[in-house]
Amino acid sequence: MEFSWMQLMAIAPEMVLTAGACALLLFDLVIPKEQKDKLGYFAIGVLLIACYGSWKLADVETDVFSGMFVLDPYSAYFKVLVYLAGALTILLSMTYLEVERIHLGEYHAFVLLATAGMMVMVSAGDLIMIYLGLELLSISLYTLAGFKRHESRSVEASAKYLILGSFSSAILLYGISLLYGIAGTTNLKALGAFFAQGSLDNPGLFMSMGFLVVGFGFKVAAVPFHMWTPDVYEGSPTPVTAYMSVAPKAASFAVFLRVFAESLGALKAHWQPILITLAIATMIIGNVVAIVQDNIKRMLAYSSIAHAGYALIGIIVGGSLGTMSLMLYLMIYAVMNLGAFGVVILLRKGTLRGEEIADFTGLAKTNPIAALIMLIFMFSLAGIPPTAGFVAKFYVFMGAVEAGMAWLAVIGVLLSAVSAYYYLRVVMVMYMREPEGRFDLATSPATQFALVVTTVAILFFGIYPTPLIDYTKAAILQAP
Amino acid sequence: MGDSSFPIVSLVVFLPLVGALVLLALRDVEAVRWTALGATVAALLASLPLWSDFDRGSHAFQFVERYDWIPTFNIEYAVGLDGISLLLVLLTTFLSPIVILCSWRSIEKRVKEFMASVLLMETAMLGVFVALDFVLFYVFWEAMLIPMYLIIGVWGGPNRIYAAIKFFLYTLAGSLLLLVAMIALYFAGGHTFSIPALMGQPYSPQFQFWVFLAFFLAFAVKVPMFPFHTWLPDAHVEAPTAGSVILASVLLKMGGYGFIRFCLPMLPQASALFTPLILVLSVVAIIYGAYMALAQSDLKKLIAYSSVSHMGFVMLGLFVFTVQGIEGAMLQMVNHGITTGALFLCVGLVYDRTHSRLIADYGGLAKTMPIYAAMLVIFSLSSLGLPGTNSFVGEFLVLLGAFITYPVFAVAASLGIILAAVYMLWMVQRVAFGEVNPKIARHPDLNLRELATVAPLAVAVFWIGVYPAPLLDVLHVSVDHLLEQTRLTSGDVAGLGWSDLWGMVRAAFAS
């Protein structure tokens, strides 16, 4: 295997992230407790540098390390998404960590490592690389989920996530090895070429396809592999929940689509019905169960399950419109969900946990701006114009109708109407009930900045989505 | 035709939005009220040139503005007016200052948010009536939900939360299907969302059937047609006066407008197929609404049910496919906006004083509040369609139009007019005449501001009642053109009959 500077350049952003994470661990030892928030800014700096690198490489289309690592606009798009999510998460974490008395610098290091894992995933040109990236991501997340060590819920979340996550990884790995046994390669493009001409009646092939669906289905929290989500989301520190609900999900979807379009595209007729069933079940269970949740983190967990169902429609549809709608959906979802969690984090102050929907009672009277921001995110998640959430749903349904699956779109929109009910509930308690006492919000310039950025983005791209659409369109996956 | 280089339509649509943004920066409550009034009056003044410069001899969309919005999917920011839109735009701009005035004192908590919501509503409603791009239409159509939800839910009566959520979910479920149908039209109509372009295309009867079904649900909920009307009494009863007025005067018109703008010209065959069903539902709504109104002891509920009945006339007029019917329906939409809006204002005026909406709590208002009673009588007479008032002209035209093609339905519908006379006169008798109810004897008559809210409407009632020609002139060419579009194919409904339906449903599930 030849080695060149080109190869190192290609993975420079990932190296920056990893080096940054290591440096953070070192700084953590020497920095005094009360200055730990400086580590957060350092982590954001690392993310910005890496993001600049990825941005520079966005137009490069090449594969390095014998096709293990692919650079293309598609991966660059998801990298930007993940950087964005990582930076917003750290901004939202800083005050929260102080309130929760988590003075561990490793927190930011693990966010960086998880980010690096996702970089590897979305750039992977080989099933093995996908697995490596996924594990780097997952292990970081298992740790992050348990960061509130003194709280049993957090420890439970971490343990549950670890056990079920390893289980699903093992299933995924089994699927990968079956594929290798059949095709003799783990390279995504080579697999695609093999199945394009090879005979498809191998029973092992369908088993491996099923295992891949299980593995990815777990990572994106699609029904029936979603059982871990509410517990893990509820127990994890809120910024970690916010992060988990968007970034790993987006990266997993990116890989999901790449594998199924690039390698298993020839088997579309076989996996399409499976994914349709999953998508419908996911939308139904997610939306219906979310209605009865009183804990806002659990509600948002079920809502994120439901959103995975809409995103699955993008994979099912495929083609340029399907790919575009999936990418657009994940980008917009990331921003609006991080924003919504941002407001939840604001409410964590002093004795107030801010995790029950009832905690939002009367917020519009005491903190009109926070309430207005939450209102915008709730309507955006429900897909009501003029917010970006509408744009996201619009293109997903457009893809479904174009593919002749208008009935799937109809199911989607009807369940969207159901979802409005639980999003409205938050708006309702904020605006239509009287506050019981004074709220004192955990705001800081960092959280304010993060919330302003997300709100402005959601409104701007809701009214004028053209720049975002053009950007997405330029990055769609060119599947064979 | 107006000078198309000046974006007058956009100006009218977005003036209230600008007003709402200015409001957010204000702190003083009085300043908030005056700014809101100023914004609505500005929109009203800006809309006057639309009326004076409108070319009444052309059916084309006028004052058109087009800009690329999302070029990837040929989505444009396109607005413009024909006669049908023009009347509804003027209705909206005319009523908005009145809505602000009527909540001047009756809204005391969170005035800023309230006024901002009303202004946002105005922009969204105007946008619906002028949008020439389907996506733009949909954005305005849905955006309206947010402020209305807040208006009912924050400033409404005791059961407001239930009513607000019911309103929101009903309308949302209907309009989301509209979204799917709209996307289907995009692909069937040659990858465009332009409403004029989509109108000029032939669609297969089967396709029309499904799209019509989706449109029907969305618009029928808004109108509201029987049996999709159950959200309306709840919403009206709980909403503050301003909310009720907006809801009755303009919001319900969005449903009728949807049928005129989309169903008839784009889906003529499906419209013809559904005509019997819609006519039956309309007549049921007319009679059922009137009966329900008869039985109410709550003033607001009475007017809400009378709304259901009156909107039945609108739907009847639309689906008889005659010039008189459609012009009557359009006129009736405007009339209903004026009359029912005014009646809700009347209820609000006494509610502010007595905090009761029960008819039993009133009586003899003609003695204690003579000006008020006069107003109430005027609007009640208009509501029951007395000759000389606006509703008479509208209902007369609708019945005339219906008589040409569907005499049975016309006869059945006229029952509704008789019932309207009964419930309205009975209501007036119990509220305004008879013994003075001691509980309400000491309240003052209307002040100048309150008079200013209802007087313009009273003028409109008589003006349209005596001399409706200016309104009909605006409509005439547009309605003729609309009928031409529906006649093109509605003669041969052979491609689509109810007997084919079963086969189509089977085919859809087999594929």
Side-chain angles (χ1 to χ4, degrees), chain B residues 435-454:
Chain B
E435 295 274 306
V436 176
N437 190 328
K439 271 192 268 182
I440 52 135
R442 285 176 300 110
H443 292 294
D445 207 346
L446 302 189
N447 62 31
L448 206 57
R449 174 185 60 82
E450 290 170 328
L451 192 62
T453 62
V454 283

Side-chain angles (χ1 to χ4, degrees), chain A residues 39-309:
Chain A
L39 293 177
Y41 290 110
F42 176 77
I44 290 175
V46 171
L47 281 172
L48 286 181
I49 294 170
C51 187
Y52 177 75
S54 293
W55 186 268
K56 277 286 184 199
L57 289 168
D59 301 328
V60 181
E61 252 191 293
T62 180
D63 51 344
V64 291
F65 300 113
S66 323
M68 293 289 259
F69 195 88
V70 179
L71 283 179
D72 55 6
Y74 178 74
S75 61
Y77 181 89
F78 280 100
K79 285 179 183 176
V80 169
L81 193 167
V82 170
Y83 287 128
L84 196 74
L88 285 171
T89 304
I90 291 175
L91 283 176
L92 293 173
S93 303
M94 289 198 274
T95 318
Y96 182 86
L97 293 179
E98 237 175 79
V99 174
E100 287 282 354
R101 296 174 201 290
I102 301 174
H103 299 294
L104 298 168
E106 300 101 282
Y107 179 90
H108 302 300
F110 278 115
V111 173
L112 291 189
L113 285 176
T115 308
M118 286 185 270
M119 296 295 134
V120 172
M121 278 169 77
V122 299
S123 260
D126 191 288
L127 289 169
I128 301 297
M129 274 309 261
I130 291 177
Y131 187 75
L132 282 179
L134 195 62
E135 284 305 278
L136 178 53
L137 163 70
S138 301
I139 291 168
S140 312
L141 286 182
Y142 303 149
T143 323
L144 283 170
F147 244 79
K148 288 201 296 191
R149 301 176 291 183
H150 46 83
E151 204 175 290
S152 60
R153 277 194 315 167
S154 185
V155 177
E156 183 198 327
S158 177
K160 206 171 228 171
Y161 196 19
L162 168 70
I163 293 166
L164 292 173
S166 327
F167 200 66
S168 81
S169 297
I171 293 178
L172 185 67
L173 199 55
Y174 192 34
I176 291 174
S177 35
L178 275 174
L179 270 186
Y180 177 71
I182 293 161
T185 176
T186 50
N187 183 285
L188 296 180
K189 286 207 175 76
L191 279 167
F194 178 83
F195 290 124
Q197 43 171 316
S199 62
L200 301 174
D201 52 359
N202 188 333
L205 181 57
F206 297 110
M207 257 173 87
S208 71
M209 201 172 72
F211 286 142
L212 291 183
V213 170
V214 174
F216 290 132
F218 180 90
K219 298 298 175 198
V220 302
V223 173
F225 316 111
H226 67 288
M227 300 295 189
W228 58 278
T229 323
D231 291 340
V232 173
Y233 279 24
E234 189 189 349
S236 304
T238 313
V240 175
T241 313
Y243 189 58
M244 280 197 295
S245 68
V246 296
K249 199 166 248 189
S252 304
F253 262 117
V255 177
F256 203 156
L257 178 69
R258 201 195 274 274
V259 170
F260 276 71
E262 212 165 71
S263 306
L264 302 175
L267 294 115
K268 187 167 184 179
H270 297 288
W271 54 255
Q272 210 176 26
I274 304 176
L275 291 190
I276 289 176
T277 319
L278 280 194
I280 293 175
T282 306
M283 289 188 289
I284 292 178
I285 301 282
N287 279 318
V288 171
V289 182
I291 290 179
V292 294
Q293 302 302 321
D294 291 321
N295 180 300
I296 194 154
K297 283 165 82 176
R298 287 184 85 86
M299 189 273 266
L300 287 171
Y302 278 105
S303 116
S304 92
I305 293 173
H307 282 280

Side-chain angles (χ1 to χ4, degrees), chain A residues 402 413 424 432 463 466 473, chain B residues 69 72 149 153 160 176 187:
Chain A
E402 193 202 26
V413 297
L424 281 187
M432 298 168 198
I463 292 164
T466 302
K473 227 180 142 198
Chain B
W69 183 20
T72 316
Y149 171 72
R160 59 187 191 275
L176 281 168
F187 289 112

Side-chain angles (χ1 to χ4, degrees), chain A residues 28 104 271 337 368 461 465 478:
Chain A
D28 185 36
L104 298 168
W271 54 255
N337 214 39
F461 290 121
Q478 303 295 337

Side-chain angles (χ1 to χ4, degrees), chain A residues 460-478:
Chain A
F460 179 80
F461 290 121
I463 292 164
Y464 188 62
T466 302
L468 186 60
I469 287 172
D470 289 345
Y471 178 57
T472 312
K473 227 180 142 198
I476 57 176
L477 181 69
Q478 303 295 337

